[in-house]
Amino acid sequence: MYDILIIGAGPAGLTSAIYAKRAEKSVVVLEQGGFGGQITHSPKIENYPGFESVSGNELADKMVEQAISQGVDFEMTKAIGIDKNGKHFTVHTEDGDFESKAVIIATGAKHRQLKLDKEDSLEGISYCAVCDGAFYKGKDVCVIGGGNSALQEALLLSDLCASVTVIQNLSFLTGEASLQNRIRSKSNVRVIFSTVVTALKSKDDSLSAITVKNTDSGAESDIETDGMFVCIGLAPENSYFASLSALDEVGYIISDEKCTTSTYGLFCAGDCRTKAVRQIATAVSDGAIAALGAIRYCDGN
């Protein structure tokens, strides 16, 4: 039996593991995919303290190396449920069960993708204007989506980029009226309605154009662009844990700044929980808070 079991090896989960292991607890991290979570999609990160510039993969590697050097155990498997038996937990996975005194859920939330060929491999595709917008200063970009997030991203980019093209699959924008009015006031922003992206074109492994299709007429055309920001929502993966952790209407774990859940001894950290800001720095903060709470739980405090 482990003292603390952590589900997810993104910045929140890895920070939790480091803190817990330094408190001399036995720790295992379960990860179903690659280490690092969403940060591995960022080719360059310039807003994380201590690094003037670092790739998402490099930052993730450093976090993993630190956790390994502390003696954290890792298991590549998918958690599919949690039960609580008295003061202890059983975490069910696709490869068997794990027992622990405390559990930290740090499964993150994935950006919804367009599911197009080369979307994961081309340079020039981003899911975060705050993270990557500065790389497109003076360039032409597209924003995919018409909700609040997409319009906020477009507004941020409009102050940096030569032009911003918002592509919305519906015949209207779904973002707040105030955001729509601000979009209309921007001379370098245009909105294309009833349109979907059907293909990505590249040059030297970088995005060079997107193929779009009008959903009314069926007509297709290409839009040359230096970058594409996909803003069609986030998808938390917490349904497996709903029996022990209360979720909000879209599936995020309901939690406060103490990173606790509705079950004593079960904690959450990072993008998987209800919160106002989802950045690497806030995920790391959550990881430390959740770990300290789990440590106190294990110690009977």
Side-chain angles (χ1 to χ4, degrees), residues 29 87 91 94 100 150 168 273:
V29 177
K87 293 185 177 180
V91 177
E94 292 181 340
S100 66
Q168 165 71 319
R273 76 175 187 88

Side-chain angles (χ1 to χ4, degrees), residues 162-185:
S163 71
V164 180
T165 299
V166 177
I167 299 173
Q168 165 71 319
N169 64 331
L170 302 174
S171 60
F172 56 91
L173 296 173
T174 58
E176 295 174 355
S178 61
L179 292 174
Q180 294 188 39
N181 290 334
R182 291 174 61 192
I183 286 290
R184 294 188 188 100
S185 72

Side-chain angles (χ1 to χ4, degrees), residues 257 273-278:
E257 295 307 305
R273 76 175 187 88
T274 51
K275 58 191 301 185
V277 179
R278 292 184 170 87

